[in-house]
Amino acid sequence: MDAPGRADWFVGDLGDPWVAAIGSSLPESVERVHCAGPLREELLAGHRVPGRLAVHRGLLTPRDAECLARYRAGGSPAPRVVLCVGPHIRHAELERWAVQGLFDDVVPEATARDTLARRLAADEGGVPRPLGTRPRVCVVSTNFEMRETLAEACETAGFPALPARDWSEAPPQGPALWDVPVLEPGWPMELARRSRVGPVVALIGFPDRALVAEARERGASACLELPCDLADLVGVLDRLASPRAEAPHAFPPVPASVGRRRPSRVAAGEGDA
């Protein structure tokens, strides 16, 4: 950690149920800080500043860039920053911020609940992997190359893998990865049926809030963007293999409210083939 004794922070609009749900997915030690508008200078300056920072942004503004630049300059080495970004962020803006060295990693908001904790802890080697025997994972995809690649990734991570073209070739229970065919209207019912007999990690191309909320509602234990970061995939499988793994529960429907912790501090300002 960059500054011993300093808590890690998650900064974002905690009045947005989706953002609040992402914050609630992080360890209890992470301080949730409400900031609905642009980052304020005093937020990341002075006596109480975060050791590491995860920040949700719907837009990347010059004011935010200036604030993060000063925060990064205040530590040696620079404190770790992970951006969690909404769908309206332009790639050119991200490139500009990357060139300026304003962040270390970036995750999309749609799937951040299943990836942000690991990304934030990456400078310390990530979350420790659990010990013990790992279950066999069924990898379901109509794309031969995709399912073979995912199966190989599972095997490398210590999870025996069984590739399957569809659910008819899959075992009747146990954990599964599914390359979700979101253009087929029946996928929600298929997911609901399969999630009753074992945890399903939904792999979704171009995920957004609505798709992920639907997958969660239908029983998905986790959702990842496809193609996915293999380290994120391993982290999710480790979590599901843990005896303390939580039962799947939904993201808030868009735009329903969600129960959340009271923020520890508030920053004013609004804005096969």
Side-chain angles (χ1 to χ4, degrees):
M1 197 165 164
D2 298 295
R6 290 181 177 174
D8 298 334
W9 284 11
F10 173 72
V11 176
D13 180 6
L14 300 183
D16 179 338
W18 197 270
V19 177
I22 294 170
S24 71
S25 73
L26 299 172
E28 291 286 342
S29 59
V30 176
E31 188 170 339
R32 284 76 172 165
V33 181
H34 178 59
C35 181
L39 296 175
R40 292 171 58 92
E41 188 64 34
E42 59 268 30
L43 177 66
L44 300 177
H47 178 65
R48 288 191 70 252
V49 295
R52 292 177 292 197
L53 176 66
V55 56
H56 179 276
R57 297 284 85 188
L59 297 172
L60 305 180
T61 69
R63 183 174 176 179
D64 290 344
E66 292 171 3
C67 190
L68 283 178
R70 291 189 178 91
Y71 167 63
R72 297 271 282 181
S76 182
R80 182 168 181 78
V81 173
V82 179
L83 284 182
C84 177
V85 297
H88 304 300
I89 300 295
R90 297 170 57 189
H91 182 69
E93 294 171 324
L94 274 178
E95 285 190 330
R96 190 178 308 115
W97 278 37
V99 168
Q100 297 175 43
L102 300 183
F103 62 88
D104 299 285
D105 205 349
V106 60
V107 298
E109 67 170 21
T111 54
R113 180 181 169 187
D114 292 306
T115 62
L116 186 55
R118 187 195 73 79
R119 300 291 187 94
L120 190 60
D123 61 338
E124 291 186 342
V127 179
R129 299 197 65 194
L131 302 176
T133 304
R134 298 181 173 93
R136 182 179 65 173
V137 176
C138 182
V139 179
V140 182
S141 174
T142 57
N143 183 289
F144 175 81
E145 290 79 8
M146 178 66 70
R147 65 176 178 263
E148 290 298 316
T149 297
L150 291 169
E152 182 179 352
C154 292
E155 295 276 1
T156 300
F159 290 89
L162 174 64
R165 190 180 189 281
D166 55 36
W167 291 117
S168 68
E169 297 181 357
Q173 59 187 12
L177 306 180
W178 189 26
D179 175 7
V180 182
V182 294
L183 297 181
E184 297 180 9
W187 73 263
M189 294 305 298
E190 288 191 70
L191 178 55
R193 283 193 295 268
R194 186 56 176 78
S195 64
R196 296 190 189 104
V197 295
V200 179
V201 179
L203 306 176
I204 302 173
F206 302 105
D208 57 23
R209 292 188 181 194
L211 280 172
V212 171
E214 176 78 356
R216 288 281 185 175
E217 183 180 347
R218 300 294 181 162
S221 295
C223 297
L224 294 175
E225 184 174 20
L226 195 64
C228 62
D229 184 302
L230 294 183
D232 288 337
L233 177 60
V234 172
V236 165
L237 291 175
D238 281 344
R239 174 169 59 81
L240 295 181
S242 169
R244 296 186 299 275
E246 298 180 2
H249 50 95
F251 263 121
V254 184
S257 61
V258 63
R260 55 185 179 275
R261 298 180 181 86
R262 181 180 299 277
S264 301
R265 53 186 301 216
V266 175
E270 301 301 323
D272 132 340

